[in-house]
Short mmCIF file of all heavy atoms in Angstrom, two decimals:
data_model
loop_
_atom_site.label_atom_id
_atom_site.label_comp_id
_atom_site.label_asym_id
_atom_site.label_seq_id
_atom_site.Cartn_x
_atom_site.Cartn_y
_atom_site.Cartn_z
N MET A 7 16.68 21.19 -65.76
CA MET A 7 17.56 20.25 -66.44
C MET A 7 18.86 20.08 -65.64
O MET A 7 19.54 21.06 -65.35
CB MET A 7 17.82 20.67 -67.84
CG MET A 7 18.65 19.78 -68.63
SD MET A 7 18.66 20.39 -70.36
CE MET A 7 19.62 19.20 -71.13
N SER A 8 19.19 18.88 -65.34
CA SER A 8 20.46 18.64 -64.58
C SER A 8 21.66 18.57 -65.53
O SER A 8 21.56 18.13 -66.64
CB SER A 8 20.32 17.29 -63.88
OG SER A 8 19.32 17.35 -62.89
N SER A 9 22.75 19.06 -65.01
CA SER A 9 24.04 18.88 -65.76
C SER A 9 24.72 17.58 -65.41
O SER A 9 24.33 16.89 -64.40
CB SER A 9 24.98 20.07 -65.40
OG SER A 9 25.46 19.91 -64.07
N ALA A 10 25.69 17.23 -66.17
CA ALA A 10 26.49 15.99 -65.84
C ALA A 10 27.09 16.08 -64.49
O ALA A 10 27.12 15.12 -63.75
CB ALA A 10 27.53 15.75 -66.92
N PHE A 11 27.55 17.31 -64.14
CA PHE A 11 28.20 17.47 -62.84
C PHE A 11 27.17 17.35 -61.70
O PHE A 11 27.42 16.71 -60.70
CB PHE A 11 28.86 18.87 -62.75
CG PHE A 11 29.61 19.13 -61.51
CD1 PHE A 11 30.89 18.58 -61.33
CD2 PHE A 11 29.07 19.85 -60.44
CE1 PHE A 11 31.60 18.78 -60.13
CE2 PHE A 11 29.77 20.05 -59.28
CZ PHE A 11 31.04 19.51 -59.12
N ASP A 12 25.94 17.86 -61.93
CA ASP A 12 24.90 17.71 -60.93
C ASP A 12 24.51 16.24 -60.68
O ASP A 12 24.39 15.83 -59.55
CB ASP A 12 23.63 18.49 -61.38
CG ASP A 12 23.79 19.98 -61.41
OD1 ASP A 12 24.63 20.52 -60.72
OD2 ASP A 12 23.06 20.60 -62.21
N ILE A 13 24.39 15.53 -61.78
CA ILE A 13 24.04 14.16 -61.66
C ILE A 13 25.14 13.34 -61.00
O ILE A 13 24.88 12.54 -60.05
CB ILE A 13 23.75 13.48 -63.09
CG1 ILE A 13 22.47 14.19 -63.68
CG2 ILE A 13 23.59 12.01 -63.03
CD1 ILE A 13 22.26 13.91 -65.17
N SER A 14 26.40 13.53 -61.44
CA SER A 14 27.51 12.80 -60.75
C SER A 14 27.67 13.17 -59.30
O SER A 14 27.94 12.25 -58.47
CB SER A 14 28.79 13.02 -61.58
OG SER A 14 29.21 14.35 -61.43
N THR A 15 27.45 14.38 -58.95
CA THR A 15 27.51 14.81 -57.54
C THR A 15 26.44 14.10 -56.72
O THR A 15 26.76 13.64 -55.60
CB THR A 15 27.37 16.35 -57.45
OG1 THR A 15 28.49 16.97 -58.14
CG2 THR A 15 27.45 16.80 -55.97
N LYS A 16 25.26 14.10 -57.24
CA LYS A 16 24.14 13.45 -56.50
C LYS A 16 24.48 11.98 -56.25
O LYS A 16 24.29 11.46 -55.13
CB LYS A 16 22.83 13.57 -57.35
CG LYS A 16 21.64 12.84 -56.69
CD LYS A 16 20.41 13.07 -57.50
CE LYS A 16 20.43 12.33 -58.84
NZ LYS A 16 19.17 12.38 -59.56
N PHE A 17 24.94 11.25 -57.25
CA PHE A 17 25.23 9.86 -57.10
C PHE A 17 26.44 9.62 -56.22
O PHE A 17 26.50 8.66 -55.42
CB PHE A 17 25.41 9.17 -58.44
CG PHE A 17 24.08 8.84 -59.04
CD1 PHE A 17 23.50 9.72 -60.00
CD2 PHE A 17 23.40 7.72 -58.71
CE1 PHE A 17 22.27 9.45 -60.55
CE2 PHE A 17 22.15 7.42 -59.28
CZ PHE A 17 21.58 8.28 -60.18
N MET A 18 27.48 10.48 -56.31
CA MET A 18 28.64 10.34 -55.44
C MET A 18 28.28 10.53 -54.05
O MET A 18 28.71 9.75 -53.12
CB MET A 18 29.74 11.28 -55.88
CG MET A 18 30.99 11.15 -55.04
SD MET A 18 31.75 9.54 -55.09
CE MET A 18 32.67 9.63 -56.63
N GLN A 19 27.48 11.57 -53.70
CA GLN A 19 27.09 11.81 -52.34
C GLN A 19 26.27 10.63 -51.79
O GLN A 19 26.51 10.18 -50.65
CB GLN A 19 26.26 13.07 -52.24
CG GLN A 19 27.09 14.35 -52.43
CD GLN A 19 26.26 15.60 -52.53
OE1 GLN A 19 25.04 15.54 -52.80
NE2 GLN A 19 26.93 16.74 -52.31
N ALA A 20 25.37 10.09 -52.57
CA ALA A 20 24.59 8.92 -52.14
C ALA A 20 25.49 7.72 -51.94
O ALA A 20 25.30 7.00 -50.96
CB ALA A 20 23.50 8.61 -53.18
N ALA A 21 26.46 7.48 -52.84
CA ALA A 21 27.39 6.33 -52.67
C ALA A 21 28.23 6.52 -51.43
O ALA A 21 28.48 5.54 -50.71
CB ALA A 21 28.23 6.19 -53.94
N LEU A 22 28.74 7.73 -51.18
CA LEU A 22 29.54 7.94 -50.02
C LEU A 22 28.72 7.70 -48.74
O LEU A 22 29.24 7.11 -47.73
CB LEU A 22 30.16 9.35 -50.00
CG LEU A 22 31.23 9.61 -51.04
CD1 LEU A 22 31.55 11.07 -51.13
CD2 LEU A 22 32.48 8.78 -50.72
N ALA A 23 27.50 8.15 -48.71
CA ALA A 23 26.61 7.89 -47.56
C ALA A 23 26.39 6.40 -47.32
O ALA A 23 26.48 5.88 -46.22
CB ALA A 23 25.30 8.63 -47.73
N GLU A 24 26.09 5.69 -48.43
CA GLU A 24 25.88 4.26 -48.33
C GLU A 24 27.18 3.53 -47.89
O GLU A 24 27.20 2.58 -47.14
CB GLU A 24 25.37 3.68 -49.60
CG GLU A 24 24.98 2.24 -49.57
CD GLU A 24 24.32 1.68 -50.77
OE1 GLU A 24 23.83 2.48 -51.62
OE2 GLU A 24 24.25 0.41 -50.93
N GLY A 25 28.27 4.00 -48.45
CA GLY A 25 29.57 3.42 -48.09
C GLY A 25 29.86 3.62 -46.60
O GLY A 25 30.30 2.72 -45.94
N ALA A 26 29.55 4.76 -46.06
CA ALA A 26 29.75 5.07 -44.66
C ALA A 26 28.91 4.18 -43.79
O ALA A 26 29.37 3.62 -42.80
CB ALA A 26 29.50 6.52 -44.37
N GLU A 27 27.68 3.94 -44.21
CA GLU A 27 26.74 3.05 -43.51
C GLU A 27 27.32 1.61 -43.47
O GLU A 27 27.05 0.88 -42.51
CB GLU A 27 25.37 3.05 -44.16
CG GLU A 27 24.56 4.33 -44.00
CD GLU A 27 23.35 4.32 -44.82
OE1 GLU A 27 22.96 3.27 -45.42
OE2 GLU A 27 22.70 5.42 -44.94
N ASN A 28 28.06 1.22 -44.51
CA ASN A 28 28.60 -0.10 -44.63
C ASN A 28 30.09 -0.19 -44.24
O ASN A 28 30.73 -1.14 -44.55
CB ASN A 28 28.36 -0.63 -46.04
CG ASN A 28 26.92 -0.92 -46.28
OD1 ASN A 28 26.37 -1.90 -45.81
ND2 ASN A 28 26.24 -0.02 -47.01
N LYS A 29 30.55 0.90 -43.63
CA LYS A 29 31.98 1.00 -43.14
C LYS A 29 32.99 0.83 -44.28
O LYS A 29 34.01 0.18 -44.11
CB LYS A 29 32.20 0.01 -42.03
CG LYS A 29 31.37 0.27 -40.77
CD LYS A 29 31.66 -0.63 -39.65
CE LYS A 29 30.93 -0.36 -38.36
NZ LYS A 29 29.57 0.12 -38.36
N ILE A 30 32.67 1.35 -45.44
CA ILE A 30 33.57 1.31 -46.59
C ILE A 30 34.22 2.71 -46.63
O ILE A 30 33.55 3.69 -46.81
CB ILE A 30 32.82 1.03 -47.90
CG1 ILE A 30 32.17 -0.34 -47.82
CG2 ILE A 30 33.79 1.08 -49.10
CD1 ILE A 30 31.25 -0.63 -48.97
N PRO A 31 35.55 2.77 -46.49
CA PRO A 31 36.25 4.07 -46.56
C PRO A 31 35.98 4.82 -47.84
O PRO A 31 35.87 4.17 -48.96
CB PRO A 31 37.71 3.70 -46.40
CG PRO A 31 37.69 2.36 -45.75
CD PRO A 31 36.47 1.67 -46.25
N ALA A 32 35.92 6.08 -47.78
CA ALA A 32 35.66 6.93 -48.96
C ALA A 32 36.72 6.72 -50.04
O ALA A 32 36.38 6.65 -51.23
CB ALA A 32 35.60 8.41 -48.58
N ASP A 33 37.98 6.54 -49.71
CA ASP A 33 39.01 6.34 -50.73
C ASP A 33 38.84 4.99 -51.37
O ASP A 33 39.15 4.90 -52.61
CB ASP A 33 40.42 6.51 -50.17
CG ASP A 33 40.82 5.46 -49.17
OD1 ASP A 33 39.98 5.15 -48.26
OD2 ASP A 33 41.96 4.96 -49.23
N VAL A 34 38.34 4.01 -50.72
CA VAL A 34 38.09 2.68 -51.31
C VAL A 34 36.95 2.80 -52.34
O VAL A 34 37.03 2.28 -53.49
CB VAL A 34 37.79 1.62 -50.24
CG1 VAL A 34 37.38 0.32 -50.93
CG2 VAL A 34 39.06 1.41 -49.40
N LEU A 35 35.92 3.52 -51.89
CA LEU A 35 34.78 3.70 -52.80
C LEU A 35 35.18 4.56 -54.04
O LEU A 35 34.80 4.22 -55.19
CB LEU A 35 33.67 4.41 -52.05
CG LEU A 35 32.32 4.50 -52.71
CD1 LEU A 35 31.81 3.13 -53.05
CD2 LEU A 35 31.37 5.26 -51.87
N ALA A 36 36.03 5.57 -53.82
CA ALA A 36 36.48 6.40 -54.93
C ALA A 36 37.28 5.55 -55.92
O ALA A 36 37.15 5.76 -57.15
CB ALA A 36 37.29 7.57 -54.38
N ARG A 37 38.10 4.65 -55.44
CA ARG A 37 38.91 3.78 -56.28
C ARG A 37 37.97 2.89 -57.15
O ARG A 37 38.21 2.70 -58.34
CB ARG A 37 39.81 2.92 -55.45
CG ARG A 37 40.90 2.22 -56.30
CD ARG A 37 41.88 1.46 -55.42
NE ARG A 37 42.43 2.22 -54.32
CZ ARG A 37 42.27 1.95 -53.05
NH1 ARG A 37 41.58 0.93 -52.65
NH2 ARG A 37 42.75 2.77 -52.14
N ALA A 38 36.87 2.42 -56.56
CA ALA A 38 35.90 1.58 -57.30
C ALA A 38 35.24 2.47 -58.36
O ALA A 38 35.02 2.01 -59.47
CB ALA A 38 34.88 1.04 -56.32
N PHE A 39 34.91 3.74 -58.06
CA PHE A 39 34.33 4.61 -59.02
C PHE A 39 35.32 4.85 -60.17
O PHE A 39 34.93 4.94 -61.31
CB PHE A 39 33.92 5.97 -58.36
CG PHE A 39 32.52 5.98 -57.94
CD1 PHE A 39 32.16 5.69 -56.64
CD2 PHE A 39 31.46 6.26 -58.84
CE1 PHE A 39 30.83 5.74 -56.23
CE2 PHE A 39 30.10 6.31 -58.41
CZ PHE A 39 29.83 6.05 -57.10
N LEU A 40 36.57 5.06 -59.82
CA LEU A 40 37.61 5.28 -60.85
C LEU A 40 37.67 4.09 -61.81
O LEU A 40 37.75 4.31 -63.05
CB LEU A 40 38.98 5.53 -60.23
CG LEU A 40 40.12 5.80 -61.16
CD1 LEU A 40 39.81 6.99 -62.10
CD2 LEU A 40 41.41 6.04 -60.41
N GLU A 41 37.56 2.90 -61.30
CA GLU A 41 37.59 1.73 -62.14
C GLU A 41 36.44 1.76 -63.10
O GLU A 41 36.52 1.41 -64.28
CB GLU A 41 37.53 0.43 -61.33
CG GLU A 41 38.90 0.11 -60.64
CD GLU A 41 39.96 -0.10 -61.68
OE1 GLU A 41 39.74 -0.73 -62.71
OE2 GLU A 41 41.12 0.31 -61.39
N ARG A 42 35.24 2.15 -62.64
CA ARG A 42 34.03 2.21 -63.46
C ARG A 42 34.18 3.32 -64.48
O ARG A 42 33.80 3.18 -65.67
CB ARG A 42 32.77 2.48 -62.62
CG ARG A 42 32.47 1.40 -61.63
CD ARG A 42 32.10 0.08 -62.37
NE ARG A 42 32.34 -1.03 -61.49
CZ ARG A 42 33.42 -1.84 -61.52
NH1 ARG A 42 34.36 -1.66 -62.39
NH2 ARG A 42 33.54 -2.86 -60.69
N VAL A 43 34.79 4.44 -64.10
CA VAL A 43 35.00 5.51 -65.06
C VAL A 43 35.91 5.09 -66.18
O VAL A 43 35.65 5.31 -67.36
CB VAL A 43 35.63 6.75 -64.32
CG1 VAL A 43 36.17 7.79 -65.34
CG2 VAL A 43 34.60 7.42 -63.43
N LEU A 44 36.97 4.37 -65.82
CA LEU A 44 37.88 3.88 -66.86
C LEU A 44 37.21 2.87 -67.75
O LEU A 44 37.52 2.83 -69.01
CB LEU A 44 39.14 3.26 -66.15
CG LEU A 44 40.03 4.28 -65.45
CD1 LEU A 44 41.14 3.53 -64.69
CD2 LEU A 44 40.58 5.30 -66.38
N GLU A 45 36.30 2.07 -67.25
CA GLU A 45 35.56 1.12 -68.08
C GLU A 45 34.72 1.93 -69.14
O GLU A 45 34.72 1.57 -70.32
CB GLU A 45 34.60 0.28 -67.25
CG GLU A 45 35.29 -0.82 -66.51
CD GLU A 45 34.29 -1.60 -65.63
OE1 GLU A 45 33.08 -1.35 -65.75
OE2 GLU A 45 34.74 -2.45 -64.88
N VAL A 46 34.09 2.99 -68.70
CA VAL A 46 33.29 3.79 -69.62
C VAL A 46 34.21 4.50 -70.64
O VAL A 46 33.88 4.46 -71.83
CB VAL A 46 32.46 4.85 -68.82
CG1 VAL A 46 31.82 5.84 -69.79
CG2 VAL A 46 31.41 4.21 -67.98
N TYR A 47 35.30 5.05 -70.16
CA TYR A 47 36.26 5.69 -71.10
C TYR A 47 36.72 4.72 -72.16
O TYR A 47 36.83 5.08 -73.35
CB TYR A 47 37.44 6.23 -70.33
CG TYR A 47 37.26 7.57 -69.69
CD1 TYR A 47 38.32 8.12 -68.96
CD2 TYR A 47 36.13 8.35 -69.84
CE1 TYR A 47 38.19 9.41 -68.35
CE2 TYR A 47 35.99 9.57 -69.27
CZ TYR A 47 37.03 10.10 -68.52
OH TYR A 47 36.92 11.35 -67.94
N ARG A 48 37.10 3.48 -71.74
CA ARG A 48 37.62 2.53 -72.71
C ARG A 48 36.62 2.12 -73.76
O ARG A 48 36.99 1.65 -74.87
CB ARG A 48 38.15 1.32 -71.99
CG ARG A 48 39.49 1.53 -71.30
CD ARG A 48 40.14 0.24 -70.82
NE ARG A 48 39.36 -0.38 -69.70
CZ ARG A 48 39.60 -0.22 -68.45
NH1 ARG A 48 40.59 0.59 -68.03
NH2 ARG A 48 38.85 -0.79 -67.54
N GLN A 49 35.34 2.32 -73.51
CA GLN A 49 34.28 1.96 -74.52
C GLN A 49 34.31 2.89 -75.71
O GLN A 49 33.84 2.48 -76.74
CB GLN A 49 32.90 1.96 -73.87
CG GLN A 49 32.73 0.87 -72.87
CD GLN A 49 31.37 0.99 -72.12
OE1 GLN A 49 30.54 1.81 -72.44
NE2 GLN A 49 31.23 0.14 -71.09
N GLY A 50 34.81 4.14 -75.53
CA GLY A 50 34.73 5.01 -76.64
C GLY A 50 35.93 5.96 -76.89
O GLY A 50 35.84 6.87 -77.70
N ARG A 51 36.98 5.75 -76.12
CA ARG A 51 38.13 6.61 -76.24
C ARG A 51 39.41 5.77 -76.40
O ARG A 51 39.52 4.67 -75.92
CB ARG A 51 38.26 7.47 -74.99
CG ARG A 51 37.10 8.42 -74.82
CD ARG A 51 37.12 9.18 -73.54
NE ARG A 51 38.25 10.20 -73.52
CZ ARG A 51 38.44 11.01 -72.51
NH1 ARG A 51 37.63 11.02 -71.48
NH2 ARG A 51 39.43 11.87 -72.53
N ALA A 52 40.36 6.38 -77.11
CA ALA A 52 41.67 5.72 -77.28
C ALA A 52 42.44 5.74 -75.95
O ALA A 52 42.28 6.67 -75.16
CB ALA A 52 42.44 6.45 -78.35
N ILE A 53 43.27 4.74 -75.78
CA ILE A 53 44.08 4.66 -74.55
C ILE A 53 44.93 5.92 -74.35
O ILE A 53 45.02 6.40 -73.23
CB ILE A 53 44.95 3.34 -74.53
CG1 ILE A 53 44.08 2.11 -74.61
CG2 ILE A 53 45.89 3.35 -73.38
CD1 ILE A 53 43.16 1.88 -73.43
N ASP A 54 45.56 6.38 -75.40
CA ASP A 54 46.40 7.57 -75.32
C ASP A 54 45.55 8.79 -74.85
O ASP A 54 46.06 9.62 -74.12
CB ASP A 54 47.06 7.89 -76.63
CG ASP A 54 48.18 6.90 -76.99
OD1 ASP A 54 48.60 6.16 -76.08
OD2 ASP A 54 48.64 6.88 -78.12
N ASP A 55 44.35 8.91 -75.36
CA ASP A 55 43.47 10.03 -74.94
C ASP A 55 43.10 9.92 -73.44
O ASP A 55 43.17 10.88 -72.75
CB ASP A 55 42.21 9.98 -75.79
CG ASP A 55 41.26 11.14 -75.52
OD1 ASP A 55 41.73 12.28 -75.33
OD2 ASP A 55 40.03 10.92 -75.45
N ILE A 56 42.81 8.70 -73.00
CA ILE A 56 42.53 8.52 -71.59
C ILE A 56 43.76 8.87 -70.73
O ILE A 56 43.67 9.60 -69.74
CB ILE A 56 42.08 7.03 -71.31
CG1 ILE A 56 40.80 6.75 -72.05
CG2 ILE A 56 41.94 6.79 -69.81
CD1 ILE A 56 40.43 5.27 -72.09
N ALA A 57 44.91 8.38 -71.13
CA ALA A 57 46.12 8.63 -70.44
C ALA A 57 46.44 10.13 -70.37
O ALA A 57 46.85 10.65 -69.31
CB ALA A 57 47.29 7.90 -71.03
N SER A 58 46.18 10.83 -71.47
CA SER A 58 46.40 12.25 -71.48
C SER A 58 45.50 12.97 -70.54
O SER A 58 45.94 13.88 -69.79
CB SER A 58 46.19 12.80 -72.94
OG SER A 58 46.28 14.20 -72.96
N GLU A 59 44.19 12.60 -70.47
CA GLU A 59 43.32 13.24 -69.54
C GLU A 59 43.74 12.98 -68.07
O GLU A 59 43.76 13.83 -67.24
CB GLU A 59 41.87 12.78 -69.74
CG GLU A 59 40.92 13.42 -68.74
CD GLU A 59 39.50 13.41 -69.20
OE1 GLU A 59 39.22 13.27 -70.38
OE2 GLU A 59 38.66 13.62 -68.31
N LEU A 60 44.08 11.70 -67.78
CA LEU A 60 44.53 11.36 -66.42
C LEU A 60 45.78 12.14 -66.06
O LEU A 60 45.89 12.59 -64.94
CB LEU A 60 44.71 9.86 -66.31
CG LEU A 60 43.44 9.03 -66.42
CD1 LEU A 60 43.80 7.51 -66.43
CD2 LEU A 60 42.46 9.38 -65.29
N SER A 61 46.72 12.23 -66.98
CA SER A 61 47.93 13.03 -66.74
C SER A 61 47.63 14.48 -66.41
O SER A 61 48.24 15.08 -65.49
CB SER A 61 48.89 12.94 -67.97
OG SER A 61 49.36 11.63 -68.08
N PHE A 62 46.67 15.05 -67.13
CA PHE A 62 46.30 16.42 -66.81
C PHE A 62 45.82 16.56 -65.40
O PHE A 62 46.18 17.46 -64.69
CB PHE A 62 45.20 16.90 -67.82
CG PHE A 62 44.56 18.23 -67.47
CD1 PHE A 62 45.21 19.38 -67.80
CD2 PHE A 62 43.39 18.29 -66.76
CE1 PHE A 62 44.68 20.60 -67.45
CE2 PHE A 62 42.83 19.53 -66.41
CZ PHE A 62 43.51 20.65 -66.78
N HIS A 63 44.96 15.63 -64.98
CA HIS A 63 44.40 15.69 -63.62
C HIS A 63 45.53 15.44 -62.59
O HIS A 63 45.53 16.09 -61.52
CB HIS A 63 43.27 14.68 -63.43
CG HIS A 63 42.02 15.10 -64.18
ND1 HIS A 63 41.22 16.14 -63.75
CD2 HIS A 63 41.48 14.63 -65.33
CE1 HIS A 63 40.24 16.26 -64.62
NE2 HIS A 63 40.38 15.37 -65.57
N ILE A 64 46.45 14.56 -62.90
CA ILE A 64 47.58 14.30 -61.97
C ILE A 64 48.41 15.56 -61.85
O ILE A 64 48.82 15.95 -60.74
CB ILE A 64 48.40 13.09 -62.47
CG1 ILE A 64 47.64 11.81 -62.27
CG2 ILE A 64 49.76 13.07 -61.74
CD1 ILE A 64 48.18 10.61 -62.99
N ASP A 65 48.68 16.20 -62.97
CA ASP A 65 49.51 17.43 -62.97
C ASP A 65 48.88 18.56 -62.21
O ASP A 65 49.52 19.51 -61.78
CB ASP A 65 49.83 17.89 -64.39
CG ASP A 65 50.77 16.93 -65.10
OD1 ASP A 65 51.44 16.12 -64.48
OD2 ASP A 65 50.81 16.99 -66.36
N ASN A 66 47.55 18.53 -62.01
CA ASN A 66 46.81 19.61 -61.36
C ASN A 66 46.15 19.18 -60.08
O ASN A 66 45.11 19.71 -59.71
CB ASN A 66 45.78 20.14 -62.37
CG ASN A 66 46.44 20.81 -63.56
OD1 ASN A 66 46.97 21.89 -63.42
ND2 ASN A 66 46.38 20.16 -64.70
N LEU A 67 46.75 18.18 -59.40
CA LEU A 67 46.11 17.70 -58.12
C LEU A 67 46.15 18.75 -57.04
O LEU A 67 45.21 18.83 -56.25
CB LEU A 67 46.90 16.47 -57.64
CG LEU A 67 46.48 15.17 -58.28
CD1 LEU A 67 47.42 14.05 -57.84
CD2 LEU A 67 45.08 14.82 -58.02
N ASP A 68 47.15 19.57 -56.98
CA ASP A 68 47.29 20.61 -55.92
C ASP A 68 46.32 21.72 -56.20
O ASP A 68 46.50 22.48 -57.16
CB ASP A 68 48.71 21.08 -55.85
CG ASP A 68 48.91 22.10 -54.71
OD1 ASP A 68 47.99 22.42 -54.00
OD2 ASP A 68 50.10 22.55 -54.57
N PRO A 69 45.28 21.88 -55.35
CA PRO A 69 44.30 22.97 -55.62
C PRO A 69 44.88 24.36 -55.49
O PRO A 69 44.36 25.31 -56.00
CB PRO A 69 43.20 22.72 -54.59
CG PRO A 69 43.87 21.91 -53.50
CD PRO A 69 44.95 21.13 -54.17
N ASP A 70 46.04 24.50 -54.77
CA ASP A 70 46.65 25.75 -54.61
C ASP A 70 47.81 26.00 -55.58
O ASP A 70 48.42 27.09 -55.53
CB ASP A 70 47.17 25.90 -53.13
CG ASP A 70 46.05 25.86 -52.14
OD1 ASP A 70 44.94 26.38 -52.41
OD2 ASP A 70 46.24 25.24 -51.06
N GLY A 71 48.13 25.01 -56.37
CA GLY A 71 49.24 25.11 -57.29
C GLY A 71 48.88 25.87 -58.55
O GLY A 71 47.70 26.19 -58.82
N ASP A 72 49.88 26.09 -59.34
CA ASP A 72 49.65 26.73 -60.66
C ASP A 72 49.16 25.65 -61.62
O ASP A 72 49.68 24.52 -61.62
CB ASP A 72 50.94 27.31 -61.22
CG ASP A 72 51.44 28.53 -60.45
OD1 ASP A 72 50.56 29.23 -59.86
OD2 ASP A 72 52.66 28.78 -60.35
N HIS A 73 48.16 25.97 -62.35
CA HIS A 73 47.65 25.04 -63.31
C HIS A 73 48.02 25.44 -64.72
O HIS A 73 48.10 26.66 -65.02
CB HIS A 73 46.10 24.95 -63.23
CG HIS A 73 45.67 24.54 -61.86
ND1 HIS A 73 45.85 23.26 -61.37
CD2 HIS A 73 45.09 25.24 -60.84
CE1 HIS A 73 45.37 23.17 -60.11
NE2 HIS A 73 44.94 24.39 -59.77
N MET A 74 48.28 24.46 -65.59
CA MET A 74 48.79 24.77 -66.89
C MET A 74 47.85 25.62 -67.75
O MET A 74 48.24 26.27 -68.72
CB MET A 74 49.17 23.50 -67.57
CG MET A 74 48.06 22.61 -68.04
SD MET A 74 48.55 21.22 -68.99
CE MET A 74 49.26 20.16 -67.77
N PHE A 75 46.58 25.63 -67.41
CA PHE A 75 45.66 26.41 -68.22
C PHE A 75 45.50 27.87 -67.65
O PHE A 75 44.75 28.60 -68.22
CB PHE A 75 44.27 25.73 -68.30
CG PHE A 75 43.69 25.43 -66.94
CD1 PHE A 75 42.92 26.39 -66.30
CD2 PHE A 75 43.83 24.20 -66.34
CE1 PHE A 75 42.42 26.14 -65.03
CE2 PHE A 75 43.30 23.97 -65.09
CZ PHE A 75 42.57 24.93 -64.42
N MET A 76 46.19 28.18 -66.59
CA MET A 76 46.08 29.54 -66.01
C MET A 76 47.09 30.44 -66.63
O MET A 76 48.20 30.04 -66.97
CB MET A 76 46.35 29.48 -64.49
CG MET A 76 45.30 28.67 -63.73
SD MET A 76 45.71 28.53 -62.02
CE MET A 76 44.88 29.95 -61.35
N ARG A 77 46.76 31.72 -66.73
CA ARG A 77 47.67 32.69 -67.22
C ARG A 77 48.54 33.16 -66.08
O ARG A 77 48.12 33.23 -64.96
CB ARG A 77 46.91 33.89 -67.80
CG ARG A 77 46.17 33.59 -69.06
CD ARG A 77 45.54 34.82 -69.54
NE ARG A 77 44.65 34.46 -70.66
CZ ARG A 77 44.09 35.32 -71.45
NH1 ARG A 77 44.33 36.61 -71.26
NH2 ARG A 77 43.34 34.95 -72.48
N PRO A 78 49.83 33.56 -66.37
CA PRO A 78 50.72 34.05 -65.29
C PRO A 78 50.31 35.39 -64.81
O PRO A 78 49.60 36.09 -65.38
CB PRO A 78 52.07 34.06 -66.01
CG PRO A 78 51.88 33.95 -67.43
CD PRO A 78 50.49 33.42 -67.66
#
């Protein structure tokens, strides 16, 4: 049984490969995926909830930084 992460990884890898074949930069493709993600979120989540989740990810962009869910 595949997890949501497994499925999304498979499709992202395939999309990046197809994008590379068509000379579409990875960041442009990622931006298009983000737009699709936001469309899905808007179908069942409140705008404030979406903004809160995006803010969490923004606050934790640095993989080497302290994350608010980590203990000191």
Side-chain angles (χ1 to χ4, degrees):
M7 182 174 180
S8 296
S9 70
F11 186 78
D12 294 335
I13 294 167
S14 65
T15 299
K16 177 178 69 173
F17 280 96
M18 181 60 81
Q19 288 173 340
L22 289 169
E24 185 173 343
E27 290 171 9
N28 290 285
K29 297 183 176 38
I30 300 171
D33 66 316
V34 172
L35 190 59
R37 193 175 310 116
F39 268 95
L40 181 57
E41 286 297 322
R42 298 296 157 258
V43 167
L44 293 174
E45 286 177 6
V46 171
Y47 277 178
R48 283 190 294 265
Q49 291 174 8
R51 296 174 68 176
I53 298 297
D54 288 345
D55 183 41
I56 297 168
S58 177
E59 180 160 340
L60 293 174
S61 292
F62 172 81
H63 289 287
I64 290 166
D65 291 342
N66 294 289
L67 279 174
D68 182 359
D70 297 323
D72 292 331
H73 301 289
M74 68 175 76
F75 56 86
M76 296 175 91
R77 292 183 188 192

